[in-house]
Amino acid sequence: MRIVVANVNTTERVTEAIGVQASSVAAPGTEIAAVTPSFGAASVEGNFESYLAAVGVMDRVSAVTEPFDAVVLAGFGEHGKEGLAELFEVPVVDITEAAAHTASLLGRRYSVVTSLHRTTGQIRDRLALTGLDSRCASVRATGVPVLDLENDLDSTAEHIAREAQQAIEVDGAEVICLGCAGMAGLDERVSERIGAPVVDGVTAAVGLAETLVRLGLKTSKVGGWATPLSKEISGWPLSGR
Amino acid sequence: MRIVVANVNTTERVTEAIGVQASSVAAPGTEIAAVTPSFGAASVEGNFESYLAAVGVMDRVSAVTEPFDAVVLAGFGEHGKEGLAELFEVPVVDITEAAAHTASLLGRRYSVVTSLHRTTGQIRDRLALTGLDSRCASVRATGVPVLDLENDLDSTAEHIAREAQQAIEVDGAEVICLGCAGMAGLDERVSERIGAPVVDGVTAAVGLAETLVRLGLKTSKVGGWATPLSKEISGWPLSGR
Amino acid sequence: MRIVVANVNTTERVTEAIGVQASSVAAPGTEIAAVTPSFGAASVEGNFESYLAAVGVMDRVSAVTEPFDAVVLAGFGEHGKEGLAELFEVPVVDITEAAAHTASLLGRRYSVVTSLHRTTGQIRDRLALTGLDSRCASVRATGVPVLDLENDLDSTAEHIAREAQQAIEVDGAEVICLGCAGMAGLDERVSERIGAPVVDGVTAAVGLAETLVRLGLKTSKVGGWATPLSKEISGWPLSGR
Amino acid sequence: MRIVVANVNTTERVTEAIGVQASSVAAPGTEIAAVTPSFGAASVEGNFESYLAAVGVMDRVSAVTEPFDAVVLAGFGEHGKEGLAELFEVPVVDITEAAAHTASLLGRRYSVVTSLHRTTGQIRDRLALTGLDSRCASVRATGVPVLDLENDLDSTAEHIAREAQQAIEVDGAEVICLGCAGMAGLDERVSERIGAPVVDGVTAAVGLAETLVRLGLKTSKVGGWATPLSKEISGWPLSGR
Amino acid sequence: MRIVVANVNTTERVTEAIGVQASSVAAPGTEIAAVTPSFGAASVEGNFESYLAAVGVMDRVSAVTEPFDAVVLAGFGEHGKEGLAELFEVPVVDITEAAAHTASLLGRRYSVVTSLHRTTGQIRDRLALTGLDSRCASVRATGVPVLDLENDLDSTAEHIAREAQQAIEVDGAEVICLGCAGMAGLDERVSERIGAPVVDGVTAAVGLAETLVRLGLKTSKVGGWATPLSKEISGWPLSGR
Amino acid sequence: MRIVVANVNTTERVTEAIGVQASSVAAPGTEIAAVTPSFGAASVEGNFESYLAAVGVMDRVSAVTEPFDAVVLAGFGEHGKEGLAELFEVPVVDITEAAAHTASLLGRRYSVVTSLHRTTGQIRDRLALTGLDSRCASVRATGVPVLDLENDLDSTAEHIAREAQQAIEVDGAEVICLGCAGMAGLDERVSERIGAPVVDGVTAAVGLAETLVRLGLKTSKVGGWATPLSKEISGWPLSGR
């Protein structure tokens, strides 16, 4: 099985980290192909950048030439899932929904701890469309920008754990979701600190994607995610289309 | 006052029609600048095309060199409002929300009548984020593709009126919203047929935008629609940025 | 165009202030007719008084002899919109809904800052019926009674700004609505203090009403706001009916 | 114990019928005082009339000189509960909420069958404020005006039963609420026809009111239903105040 | 009239206290039969114990040989109502729903004050199914285990009053529900301390059950609570079946 | 890895079928232990039987002596998940939530097709607690009792496909969930007939359980699903406790 894991920003180092994280949980026989958009922002922290990323990811995944069995959209709270779901028949799993679905199995309420405060509203909106916002206790921000998350992993884990603890004590969360693909790999560290399950969206999405493939399930084409109609798309050198 | 009205597709003829419609209701002294994205789909009828349009519109409005006082996003149910709201300080009015807000003033429940069935879910999602889905009785489709709407205006009005009538009798709607910028100009014709108010999002959005400008109101920058952080955006010749 | 702006209480001084505020934003050619109910409470701060006001306003607007194009109900969170909507064909805009619709265009969440704590529940209920409560972050009270608001405008603005600041920082609001017609005219002052948009319901309602009239839209008569049936109404010298 | 049961319209014959119905279920020792507003509509079938009724009932109950232990607002879907709740310390039970609460104990979903279609939206709104709209399967209308309900009780019961049957089969209702005080006394007849429980709001409200009195419970005065502030109310010969 | 009041735990002393409380409000002629499950936990403070209790109560009430007119399920936030509703034709009133319905008549929002924090989520879930969660301001815990509640009634009342006061001031509650059958009898004491109505679910349920019986209403059998199909139930010496 | 899959009824033949189905999708190295409760109903089609099953399954899984890594509760719409979640540290996956989560990844709206009409309300309630009811288009019943489902698989598939088709065309579903563990194995057959994805809860739950185990995630013990307190449980020979 081959799963394309698409980073939403253009920072190769982040793509690599996501790829490593995804591979670490993949079943034997699952190949992870981590890809980077050929245009867009170095980090995605807002709607303007997120809409760019949606197109960047659609472009990049469309350019993949080898066959694949599933797509993971590795941007927390980002736009694009519905577009990818239209373009491909294979399952598309967004790490936002993957984290929320997974956390919902493990406790009554979950909270998301993300990077910058400015992205919390966008995350709320994406969770609302997923339908799992009623189980979301809160979306909290550490204030650490995406590209600084890796500078000092211990310090980052500490920042996340502090907000996670508040989410549990004040907001009533029972499970924590790491609200940024760049936090991948910190789940165990944070979990040990707070004594509650911590879900990383990237690994959760890989697990869900593998499950969907193994069950032979594909994206529904009878409604809102039907294949785009064949029509003229001009002025845009969209890769591979 | 100058209002940029952005078509979401690359069909100039639609831009012109939208511009005419917008100008027809603009107050004396309001100038309408109707613009077309420099890339994207000839018509937008799904999420893939809509995400392209979101970026196409952000790109095109960013390239406008003369000052403007407000932006109207003239695509019903399309993506992009939050990105535009981040990029500019002047108010941004999406015709989807404009139609829903306006209809809510005139009756207890409204329905949307749009072009193709495949777009109804996407419209529902956008209304949900607007918060006005609880007053939406239904989203119905005529089955007429966007670019065919103008072929025979009487026939199109007839198709819309038929669904509108069902929306009133079966779904409990009291007001109808035209669910496609390409339907602009048909509001009166349909209203006469069904005996209920019909709201065209383009003219409603122009009216709301004028009101916001006259009241001196701008987009809030203290939360989710704050100006994008300054950062590297690579691989993309984004106009005017 | 002529817009009847109905104060909900019997204090002429408030009617005058509302009239001045409404006129300040009206387009050239729009005439504002501010009217006072002939009975009711000197200020409306609760449901008993608000129901009286609903009837007082219906009575007073029914007694207007010159033709008019729209009605503005200038009481924040008060009863009566549905009754007025039944009585007249021209659009009726309640300042509560006007503020909420307008604020929703400018940010993800809005808060209302009103006079007394006892009215916050009633405001919540009215917003719930409007459908825009999901975008309402909070309703806060300054504790200043309606008729004292004008005593010291600087102090009043200070009280409002303090609660508005809390609404932004604690509740997640991005836009503030002035929750009392008697606060009309303080929007700019408060906005400067808090650095976020402040919506005054009276001016917002005038703008929306003008837009509806210009678009040729009227209240729907096919459902819940149909014209009252002709029937005996006894024991009540209702003006002009 | 003495319970004031307030008719919302000025038709004495309806007051008498409501009084008889209320007395038929009252416990030994409970005295029912059915009262008629001194002004208002002969029947209440819309918001204009309902707002009048809200004031008419507040006026009439305020004029009651003998002490009483509870108030029943006997108009289905009508305005006024919050105003009465402010004016008095004794419990106030609206037949709309009484029916919905009672029906919720007997089945998963209930439907309301009322008189005219034009009142269904108003009933929906009142149920929404009660919080019990999520258990409401539908609000259906027989098309029989309030004052014609008594003309031919068999025919009326037949009309109600027909809609009730549809509510069960199509909408998923398990319990039916009679949606008009004027239907009081038809509950058993309809129940026999449809084989499901039928709740009459008047008798349900009397039962709930008696229970509240027996439990020593009164309306909360710490929030939205606190006693009105003492203030000038002019131009209105409000009875007994 | 005879009402079976079923304790959910196996502690006879609690059954007796519930019986005394229930009898104290029963109308003349109403007989209260308080029963104890023949198996289960000494106190119910979680889902495992609550599911046991659901079966224990179904078992115990099925074993009642004398005829009865209604059942009260005397466990706050516990499972079982739907099962009892299927088994019997007479009305079944759960003290959780009884408290919520009763409180909703007396104020805009209510809060629940219960024993241990671990049960608050379960209570929230039961209220959600009741449909009255939208009127629930909060569920707070005193931290006093069920079986310690009676040790020092003054201290327990003090603990409850403290949380109740917070619920009013911080969460916006206007009415308090005692969130544990073991708190029965403390309502007046707490109400005096906080100056707001306090609802005890046991007495409220008895009142509602009496009302339903007097109105001749029974559980609906046309939907989700229809009588169980006749089928083999093996391996279980279920009493009386 | 070892996963205990618990049938909710006492019919061994159903346990075997579920076991076969679960094993068919399990990864190499995953062992499926299908177990049958030692007491309860031959088939579970209602709340009374479902509460029995909740205890039967808790009892049976508690009696498993060999270590296991996850539990699958194989009853669609049945009670018990929260109790199991309290009793064990390993993840517990209910097939109801598994189906809903999985379907939500594949389309905008899903419908459930179950056995008897009487169970649809119970399924709705369980989905509501899962938070995924907003994405549920409908719950439809074939009318075929649980134990008859296997009599004629072609006929059963036909019945399911018919309702599924209606769910897609009338209710707007894009994905179908098989609403009964006894339907396991029919997913592909139905999917071919309707041309849309069909999710079987049993295989979905096995996939999700494997994923949770591989990710090292366990049930949260910091909130509503904390381990039961140690206390006396009397009168019940609960296996293995």
Side-chain angles (χ1 to χ4, degrees):
Chain A
M1 178 187 324
R2 198 146 166 284
I3 300 176
V4 173
V5 178
N7 183 10
V8 292
N9 63 46
T10 54
T11 305
E12 288 284 357
R13 162 169 66 87
V14 173
T15 307
E16 280 160 34
I18 291 172
V20 167
Q21 191 66 14
S23 300
S24 73
V25 299
T30 297
E31 181 193 347
I32 300 296
V35 299
T36 311
S38 61
F39 55 82
S43 65
V44 178
E45 292 159 327
N47 283 284
F48 161 61
E49 295 155 10
S50 181
Y51 276 123
L52 268 186
V55 174
V57 165
M58 292 194 297
D59 175 74
R60 185 61 191 85
V61 180
S62 293
V64 171
T65 51
E66 290 156 40
F68 49 90
D69 301 287
V71 178
V72 166
L73 173 60
F76 205 95
E78 308 309 349
H79 297 284
K81 150 97 188 199
E82 311 93 325
L84 290 166
E86 283 181 10
L87 288 177
F88 306 104
E89 300 235 333
V90 301
V92 177
V93 182
D94 170 8
I95 65 169
T96 325
E97 60 184 351
H101 287 300
T102 303
S104 296
L105 297 169
L106 302 171
R108 290 186 73 262
R109 293 281 176 276
Y110 66 88
S111 282
V112 174
V113 179
T114 187
S115 52
L116 299 189
H117 179 72
R118 61 173 295 147
T119 66
T120 56
Q122 191 179 329
I123 290 172
R124 278 272 184 202
D125 279 359
R126 300 307 293 180
L127 290 173
L129 293 183
T130 302
L132 284 168
D133 51 331
S134 67
R135 296 189 68 177
C136 178
S138 58
V139 179
R140 286 174 169 264
T142 57
V144 183
V146 171
L147 295 183
D148 293 357
L149 289 168
E150 287 176 300
N151 291 354
D152 178 345
L153 288 180
D154 271 331
S155 161
T156 298
E158 194 54 55
H159 276 90
I160 297 171
R162 204 175 309 150
E163 290 299 323
Q165 200 63 47
Q166 289 289 300
I168 291 169
E169 286 166 19
V170 179
D171 310 330
E174 304 185 358
V175 183
I176 301 298
C177 295
L178 298 181
C180 178
M183 291 174 179
L186 292 173
D187 43 353
E188 284 179 36
R189 228 182 281 218
V190 176
S191 181
E192 275 162 29
R193 273 174 170 85
I194 63 171
V198 174
V199 177
D200 163 42
V202 174
T203 53
V206 169
L208 292 178
E210 286 184 324
T211 296
L212 294 174
V213 174
R214 270 213 324 263
L215 299 179
L217 290 167
K218 302 201 167 173
T219 296
S220 176
K221 294 295 169 186
V222 303
W225 299 341
T227 305
L229 301 175
S230 175
K231 69 178 59 163
E232 191 198 347
I233 294 181
S234 61
W236 174 294
L238 202 63
S239 317
R241 293 194 80 84
Chain B
M1 179 187 323
R2 200 149 165 277
I3 300 176
V4 174
V5 178
N7 182 10
V8 294
N9 62 45
T10 54
T11 305
E12 288 283 357
R13 160 170 65 88
V14 173
T15 307
E16 281 160 32
I18 290 172
V20 167
Q21 191 66 13
S23 300
S24 75
V25 298
T30 297
E31 182 194 346
I32 299 295
V35 299
T36 311
S38 60
F39 56 82
S43 65
V44 178
E45 292 159 328
N47 283 285
F48 161 62
E49 295 155 10
S50 181
Y51 276 123
L52 266 185
V55 173
V57 165
M58 291 193 298
D59 174 74
R60 185 62 190 83
V61 180
S62 294
V64 171
T65 50
E66 290 158 40
F68 51 87
D69 300 288
V71 178
V72 166
L73 173 60
F76 206 94
E78 308 309 349
H79 297 284
K81 150 97 188 198
E82 311 94 324
L84 290 165
E86 282 180 10
L87 288 177
F88 306 104
E89 300 235 332
V90 301
V92 176
V93 181
D94 169 8
I95 66 169
T96 325
E97 60 184 349
H101 287 298
T102 301
S104 296
L105 296 169
L106 302 170
R108 291 185 73 264
R109 294 281 177 275
Y110 65 89
S111 281
V112 174
V113 179
T114 187
S115 52
L116 300 188
H117 179 71
R118 62 173 294 147
T119 68
T120 56
Q122 190 180 329
I123 290 172
R124 278 271 185 204
D125 280 358
R126 300 307 294 179
L127 290 174
L129 294 184
T130 302
L132 284 167
D133 52 331
S134 67
R135 296 188 68 176
C136 179
S138 58
V139 180
R140 287 174 167 266
T142 58
V144 182
V146 172
L147 296 184
D148 293 357
L149 289 168
E150 287 176 301
N151 291 355
D152 179 344
L153 288 180
D154 270 333
S155 161
T156 298
E158 194 55 56
H159 276 90
I160 296 171
R162 204 175 308 149
E163 290 299 323
Q165 200 63 47
Q166 289 289 300
I168 291 170
E169 286 166 18
V170 178
D171 309 331
E174 304 185 356
V175 182
I176 300 300
C177 295
L178 299 182
C180 178
M183 292 173 177
L186 292 173
D187 43 354
E188 283 179 36
R189 232 182 278 217
V190 176
S191 181
E192 274 163 28
R193 273 174 169 86
I194 64 171
V198 174
V199 177
D200 162 41
V202 174
T203 54
V206 169
L208 292 179
E210 285 183 326
T211 296
L212 294 175
V213 174
R214 267 210 329 259
L215 298 181
L217 291 167
K218 302 201 167 174
T219 296
S220 177
K221 293 295 168 186
V222 303
W225 299 342
T227 304
L229 301 175
S230 175
K231 69 179 61 162
E232 191 198 348
I233 295 181
S234 61
W236 174 296
L238 202 64
S239 316
R241 292 192 80 83
Chain C
M1 177 187 327
R2 200 147 165 281
I3 299 176
V4 174
V5 178
N7 183 10
V8 293
N9 62 44
T10 55
T11 305
E12 289 283 357
R13 163 169 64 88
V14 174
T15 307
E16 280 160 33
I18 290 172
V20 167
Q21 191 66 13
S23 300
S24 74
V25 298
T30 297
E31 181 194 347
I32 300 296
V35 299
T36 311
S38 60
F39 55 81
S43 65
V44 178
E45 291 159 329
N47 283 284
F48 161 62
E49 295 155 9
S50 181
Y51 276 123
L52 268 186
V55 174
V57 165
M58 291 194 298
D59 174 74
R60 185 63 191 83
V61 181
S62 294
V64 171
T65 50
E66 289 157 40
F68 50 88
D69 301 288
V71 178
V72 166
L73 173 60
F76 205 96
E78 308 309 347
H79 298 284
K81 151 97 188 199
E82 310 94 325
L84 289 165
E86 283 181 11
L87 288 177
F88 306 104
E89 300 234 333
V90 301
V92 177
V93 181
D94 169 7
I95 65 169
T96 325
E97 62 183 350
H101 287 299
T102 301
S104 297
L105 296 169
L106 302 171
R108 291 186 72 264
R109 293 282 178 275
Y110 66 87
S111 281
V112 174
V113 179
T114 188
S115 52
L116 299 189
H117 179 72
R118 61 174 293 148
T119 67
T120 56
Q122 189 179 329
I123 290 172
R124 279 270 185 206
D125 279 0
R126 299 307 294 180
L127 291 173
L129 294 183
T130 302
L132 284 168
D133 51 330
S134 67
R135 297 189 67 178
C136 178
S138 58
V139 180
R140 286 174 168 263
T142 57
V144 183
V146 172
L147 296 184
D148 293 356
L149 289 168
E150 286 176 301
N151 290 354
D152 178 346
L153 288 180
D154 270 332
S155 161
T156 299
E158 194 55 55
H159 276 91
I160 297 171
R162 205 175 308 150
E163 290 299 322
Q165 201 63 47
Q166 290 288 301
I168 291 169
E169 286 166 20
V170 179
D171 309 331
E174 303 185 358
V175 183
I176 300 300
C177 295
L178 298 181
C180 178
M183 291 173 178
L186 292 174
D187 45 353
E188 284 180 38
R189 231 181 279 218
V190 177
S191 181
E192 273 163 29
R193 272 173 170 85
I194 64 171
V198 174
V199 178
D200 163 42
V202 174
T203 53
V206 169
L208 293 178
E210 286 183 326
T211 296
L212 294 174
V213 174
R214 269 210 329 259
L215 298 180
L217 291 166
K218 301 200 168 175
T219 296
S220 177
K221 295 295 167 185
V222 303
W225 298 341
T227 304
L229 301 175
S230 176
K231 71 179 59 162
E232 191 199 348
I233 294 180
S234 60
W236 173 294
L238 203 63
S239 316
R241 293 194 81 83
Chain D
M1 179 188 321
R2 199 147 166 280
I3 300 177
V4 173
V5 179
N7 182 11
V8 294
N9 62 44
T10 54
T11 305
E12 288 284 356
R13 163 171 64 87
V14 173
T15 307
E16 280 159 33
I18 290 173
V20 166
Q21 191 66 14
S23 300
S24 75
V25 298
T30 297
E31 181 194 347
I32 300 296
V35 299
T36 311
S38 60
F39 55 81
S43 65
V44 178
E45 292 160 328
N47 283 285
F48 161 62
E49 295 155 10
S50 181
Y51 276 123
L52 267 186
V55 173
V57 165
M58 292 195 297
D59 175 74
R60 185 63 190 84
V61 180
S62 294
V64 171
T65 50
E66 289 158 40
F68 50 87
D69 300 289
V71 178
V72 167
L73 174 60
F76 205 95
E78 309 308 349
H79 297 284
K81 150 95 188 199
E82 310 94 324
L84 289 165
E86 282 181 9
L87 287 178
F88 306 105
E89 300 235 333
V90 301
V92 176
V93 181
D94 169 9
I95 66 169
T96 324
E97 60 184 349
H101 288 298
T102 301
S104 296
L105 296 169
L106 302 170
R108 290 186 72 263
R109 294 281 177 273
Y110 66 87
S111 282
V112 174
V113 179
T114 187
S115 52
L116 300 188
H117 179 72
R118 61 173 293 146
T119 67
T120 56
Q122 190 179 330
I123 290 172
R124 277 274 185 202
D125 279 358
R126 299 307 294 178
L127 290 173
L129 294 184
T130 302
L132 284 167
D133 51 331
S134 67
R135 298 188 66 176
C136 178
S138 59
V139 179
R140 285 174 169 264
T142 57
V144 182
V146 171
L147 296 184
D148 293 357
L149 289 167
E150 287 175 301
N151 291 354
D152 179 346
L153 288 180
D154 270 332
S155 160
T156 299
E158 195 53 57
H159 275 91
I160 297 171
R162 204 176 308 149
E163 290 299 323
Q165 200 63 47
Q166 289 289 300
I168 291 169
E169 285 167 18
V170 179
D171 310 330
E174 304 184 359
V175 182
I176 301 300
C177 295
L178 298 181
C180 178
M183 292 173 177
L186 292 173
D187 44 354
E188 283 179 37
R189 231 182 278 219
V190 177
S191 182
E192 274 163 29
R193 273 175 168 85
I194 63 172
V198 175
V199 177
D200 163 41
V202 175
T203 54
V206 169
L208 292 178
E210 285 184 325
T211 297
L212 294 174
V213 174
R214 266 207 334 255
L215 298 180
L217 291 167
K218 302 200 168 174
T219 295
S220 176
K221 294 295 168 187
V222 303
W225 299 341
T227 305
L229 300 176
S230 175
K231 70 179 60 163
E232 192 199 347
I233 295 181
S234 60
W236 174 296
L238 202 63
S239 316
R241 293 194 81 82
Chain E
M1 177 188 322
R2 199 146 165 281
I3 299 176
V4 173
V5 178
N7 183 9
V8 293
N9 63 45
T10 55
T11 304
E12 289 284 356
R13 163 170 64 89
V14 174
T15 308
E16 280 159 33
I18 291 173
V20 167
Q21 191 65 14
S23 300
S24 73
V25 298
T30 297
E31 182 194 346
I32 300 295
V35 300
T36 311
S38 60
F39 55 81
S43 65
V44 178
E45 292 159 328
N47 283 285
F48 161 62
E49 295 155 10
S50 181
Y51 276 122
L52 267 185
V55 174
V57 165
M58 292 194 298
D59 174 73
R60 185 62 190 82
V61 180
S62 294
V64 171
T65 51
E66 290 157 40
F68 51 87
D69 300 289
V71 179
V72 166
L73 173 60
F76 205 94
E78 308 309 348
H79 297 284
K81 150 98 188 200
E82 310 94 324
L84 289 165
E86 282 181 11
L87 288 177
F88 306 104
E89 301 235 332
V90 300
V92 176
V93 182
D94 170 7
I95 65 169
T96 324
E97 61 184 350
H101 287 298
T102 301
S104 296
L105 296 169
L106 302 171
R108 292 185 72 262
R109 294 281 177 275
Y110 66 88
S111 282
V112 174
V113 179
T114 187
S115 53
L116 299 188
H117 180 71
R118 61 174 294 148
T119 67
T120 57
Q122 190 179 330
I123 289 172
R124 277 272 185 203
D125 279 0
R126 299 307 293 180
L127 290 173
L129 295 183
T130 302
L132 284 167
D133 51 332
S134 67
R135 295 189 67 178
C136 178
S138 59
V139 180
R140 286 174 169 264
T142 57
V144 182
V146 172
L147 295 184
D148 293 356
L149 289 169
E150 286 176 301
N151 290 355
D152 178 346
L153 289 180
D154 270 331
S155 161
T156 299
E158 193 56 54
H159 276 90
I160 297 171
R162 205 176 308 151
E163 290 300 322
Q165 200 64 46
Q166 289 289 301
I168 290 170
E169 285 165 19
V170 179
D171 309 330
E174 304 185 358
V175 183
I176 300 300
C177 295
L178 299 181
C180 178
M183 292 173 179
L186 292 174
D187 43 354
E188 284 180 36
R189 230 182 279 219
V190 177
S191 181
E192 274 163 27
R193 271 175 170 85
I194 64 171
V198 174
V199 177
D200 163 41
V202 174
T203 53
V206 169
L208 292 177
E210 285 183 326
T211 296
L212 295 174
V213 174
R214 267 209 330 257
L215 298 180
L217 291 166
K218 301 199 168 174
T219 296
S220 176
K221 294 295 169 187
V222 303
W225 299 342
T227 305
L229 301 175
S230 175
K231 70 177 59 162
E232 190 198 349
I233 294 181
S234 61
W236 173 295
L238 203 63
S239 315
R241 292 193 79 83
Chain F
M1 180 186 324
R2 200 147 166 280
I3 299 177
V4 173
V5 178
N7 183 10
V8 293
N9 62 44
T10 54
T11 305
E12 288 284 357
R13 162 170 65 87
V14 173
T15 306
E16 280 160 33
I18 291 172
V20 167
Q21 191 67 14
S23 299
S24 74
V25 298
T30 296
E31 181 194 346
I32 299 295
V35 299
T36 311
S38 61
F39 55 82
S43 65
V44 177
E45 291 160 329
N47 283 285
F48 160 61
E49 294 155 11
S50 181
Y51 276 122
L52 267 185
V55 174
V57 165
M58 290 194 299
D59 175 74
R60 185 62 191 85
V61 180
S62 294
V64 170
T65 50
E66 289 157 41
F68 50 88
D69 300 289
V71 178
V72 166
L73 173 61
F76 205 95
E78 308 309 350
H79 297 283
K81 150 96 188 199
E82 310 94 323
L84 289 165
E86 281 181 10
L87 287 177
F88 305 104
E89 300 236 333
V90 301
V92 176
V93 182
D94 169 8
I95 65 170
T96 325
E97 62 184 349
H101 287 298
T102 302
S104 297
L105 297 169
L106 301 170
R108 291 185 73 263
R109 292 281 176 277
Y110 65 88
S111 281
V112 174
V113 180
T114 187
S115 52
L116 299 189
H117 180 71
R118 61 173 295 146
T119 67
T120 57
Q122 190 179 330
I123 289 172
R124 277 274 184 200
D125 279 358
R126 300 307 294 178
L127 290 173
L129 294 184
T130 302
L132 284 168
D133 51 332
S134 67
R135 297 188 67 177
C136 177
S138 57
V139 180
R140 285 174 168 266
T142 57
V144 182
V146 172
L147 295 184
D148 292 357
L149 289 168
E150 288 176 300
N151 290 356
D152 179 344
L153 287 180
D154 270 332
S155 161
T156 298
E158 195 54 56
H159 275 90
I160 297 171
R162 204 176 308 150
E163 290 299 322
Q165 201 62 48
Q166 289 288 300
I168 290 169
E169 286 166 19
V170 178
D171 309 330
E174 304 185 358
V175 183
I176 301 298
C177 295
L178 299 181
C180 178
M183 293 173 177
L186 292 173
D187 43 353
E188 283 180 37
R189 230 182 277 220
V190 176
S191 180
E192 274 164 27
R193 272 174 169 86
I194 63 171
V198 174
V199 177
D200 163 41
V202 174
T203 53
V206 169
L208 292 178
E210 286 183 325
T211 296
L212 294 175
V213 174
R214 269 212 325 261
L215 298 180
L217 291 167
K218 303 200 166 174
T219 296
S220 176
K221 294 295 169 186
V222 303
W225 299 342
T227 304
L229 300 176
S230 175
K231 68 178 62 164
E232 190 198 348
I233 294 180
S234 60
W236 173 295
L238 202 64
S239 318
R241 292 193 80 82

